[in-house]
Structure formats: structure tokens, C-alpha cells
Amino acid sequence: MVDEFVVLIPARGGSKSIKLKNIREICGQPLIFWSLDAAVNCERVAKVYVSTDSDEIKNVVLSYNKKNKDKIVVINRSSESACDTATTEEVEFDFCEKVKNFKNLILIQCTNPLIKTSDIDGCIDISYDFDSVVSTVVQKRFYWQKMSDGSIKEIGHDIKKRPRRQDWDGVLAENGSIYVISRENLYKGKCRLYGKIGTYIMSEDSYYEIDEPSDWIIIEQLLTRRQELEN
């Protein structure tokens, strides 16, 4: 049987900025559990694969004991796709060599724990109309590019026609949370995004990813606020 949608969550053990951050506790549970919560509760997701090179991470993931825990499968990540220079695409292809019975791959990065099941559903909904999908957030900021002579040039706006914030749709920023692509298109494009690309716009606070200790503080506060609103 071929699964229509599966989730892949990469969880490398060699994080440099925050040691073993994928399983470090944040707001009452390991960081990766927030992504697992969102993924396993998506009805259209058949399985949730965690790709890791760490026995410690594997053991924490296998300790997940909530509803739909049976969807979770831990697979061993190759040393080549777990090194410091490995790309996300290398992780995806390593996974595809090990798991072949699926049609569409949903990549979720657990460094964005503000993801919700509804976000995954939203990405799936629009994936039927596009070759691949990426999650984004709306940013209402003016971006600039530094030139070779040291000056800067505006990107995506005209300095003579700056819109007011309330009159501007803004620009879309990739938030590093969700990517959807078929197995076929992944191999065609050799990239997590290919062809006609669609986007699902997530909440503004999902702009933040945990890469540095300061990000951890910000996201912990955002998660705490979310929990307070939901309780």
C-alpha cells in the first residue's frame, strides 16, 4: 500500500548552537514533541518519520506516549546526511532510499514548534494545485541589498513610493516550517521546492525559528502565551 502523505522530521544530534536542542524541554515537553503533536494529529498523514543519527533523540521520540503515537517511525540517518555540511535535500534523499511506499512528502523542521495541525492541513489542501508548497509568513518590512561598492539598493519596493503599512500587502518570508512535494517532483528537481510553487501563510509569530539561544527565549514566551490563551 502506498501512503498518499507522510511527514519527515529531521532531528540531527549534532546541533552546535544549542546542544541536543531537538529534545531539550521547552514549555513542558521536548522541542520535537511540538512538531510530533501537530503531525500525528493530522488525519491525512499516514506516518510520521523522524530521521536521526542520535540514539538519545531516538529514545526520546520513542517515549512519545500521546494519541496517535503509533504513526511515529524512527529511521536511522546516514552519517553523510548528518554531517555539518549536509543539506536538507540530502536528508530527504537518504529518507527516500529507505522508505519507498509514499506519494507525497511533508518536510517539517522541528525548530519551529509553533506549527499546528491546521497548518499541515492547509499545506495539503493547496498541494493539489501546485508542484510543491512552502509555508510562509507576511512581513511588512522594507528589505535592502548591499552592493559591491558598499551602497544599498531596495528589494521589492520603490523608495519614492513607500506604502503605508495599512495599505500594503507586505512580502512573504519563508518561515522554515513546512515543505510539501511529491516523491516524483523531488527527484525531478533535486530540491525540496520545484516547478509551480504554492504557499500556505502561517501566523505571524511562526516567523521565529530556534537557531540561537536568543530564539529559544522568544519562542518559549510565544508558546507560553499560546498555552495561556488555550487554557
Side-chain angles (χ1 to χ4, degrees):
M1 179 179 176
V2 176
D3 295 323
E4 185 173 9
F5 290 97
V6 299
V7 164
L8 171 63
I9 303 177
R12 190 168 74 100
S15 173
K16 295 292 188 290
S17 58
I18 304 173
K19 186 177 180 181
L20 288 173
K21 68 180 176 183
N22 294 318
I23 54 173
R24 179 176 168 181
E25 188 169 302
I26 184 168
C27 290
Q29 64 178 5
L31 175 62
I32 196 170
F33 277 24
W34 294 96
S35 297
L36 291 174
D37 287 343
V40 299
N41 289 307
C42 181
E43 293 183 0
R44 288 180 283 181
V45 167
K47 292 185 180 65
V48 179
Y49 294 91
V50 176
S51 172
T52 186
D53 60 327
S54 165
D55 287 338
E56 194 169 352
I57 292 176
K58 177 179 180 179
N59 290 335
V60 170
V61 170
L62 292 176
S63 74
Y64 185 92
N65 196 29
K66 303 184 188 182
K67 180 183 176 182
N68 297 323
K69 64 180 181 180
D70 293 340
K71 284 187 178 183
I72 299 172
V73 180
V74 179
I75 61 171
N76 294 323
R77 186 162 159 179
S78 69
S79 57
E80 292 80 11
S81 66
C83 68
D84 291 342
T85 58
T87 65
T88 299
E89 281 74 16
E90 288 178 273
V91 180
E92 290 181 305
F93 286 120
D94 178 62
F95 168 76
C96 287
E97 289 302 306
K98 296 177 170 70
V99 179
K100 301 182 184 297
N101 60 332
F102 72 92
K103 183 178 178 182
N104 298 291
L105 181 62
I106 304 170
L107 175 74
I108 292 177
Q109 311 221 75
C110 58
T111 49
N112 191 331
L114 293 158
I115 183 175
K116 296 180 178 180
T117 298
S118 58
D119 296 320
I120 301 173
D121 275 321
C123 287
I124 290 174
D125 286 340
I126 66 172
S127 69
Y128 297 103
D129 298 321
F130 298 95
D131 296 311
S132 56
V133 173
V134 57
S135 62
T136 57
V137 295
V138 175
Q139 289 282 289
K140 294 193 175 184
R141 297 180 182 272
F142 297 112
Y143 291 94
W144 296 78
Q145 179 182 5
K146 192 168 186 178
M147 310 305 288
S148 59
D149 64 357
S151 66
I152 59 174
K153 181 178 177 59
E154 66 269 30
I155 298 175
H157 71 280
D158 184 341
I159 56 174
K160 296 180 180 179
K161 299 178 181 178
R162 283 191 170 208
R164 297 184 305 162
R165 182 180 177 86
Q166 60 267 38
D167 299 329
W168 187 32
D169 291 334
V171 296
L172 296 177
E174 192 172 328
N175 68 351
S177 186
I178 308 171
Y179 303 83
V180 184
I181 192 169
S182 68
R183 183 189 185 95
E184 179 183 358
N185 283 342
L186 178 63
Y187 275 94
K188 278 183 182 178
K190 308 297 182 185
C191 181
R192 76 188 90 170
L193 295 172
Y194 167 80
K196 184 181 178 183
I197 302 170
T199 190
Y200 174 80
I201 300 174
M202 291 176 58
S203 63
E204 187 177 358
D205 59 7
S206 71
Y207 173 79
Y208 297 98
E209 294 180 81
I210 296 180
D211 290 317
E212 302 296 335
S214 57
D215 300 324
W216 190 280
I217 295 169
I218 293 170
I219 288 184
E220 191 168 37
Q221 291 174 339
L222 291 170
L223 283 171
T224 300
R225 184 181 68 180
R226 177 184 289 183
Q227 289 176 318
E228 289 171 350
L229 292 172
E230 291 176 348
N231 293 332

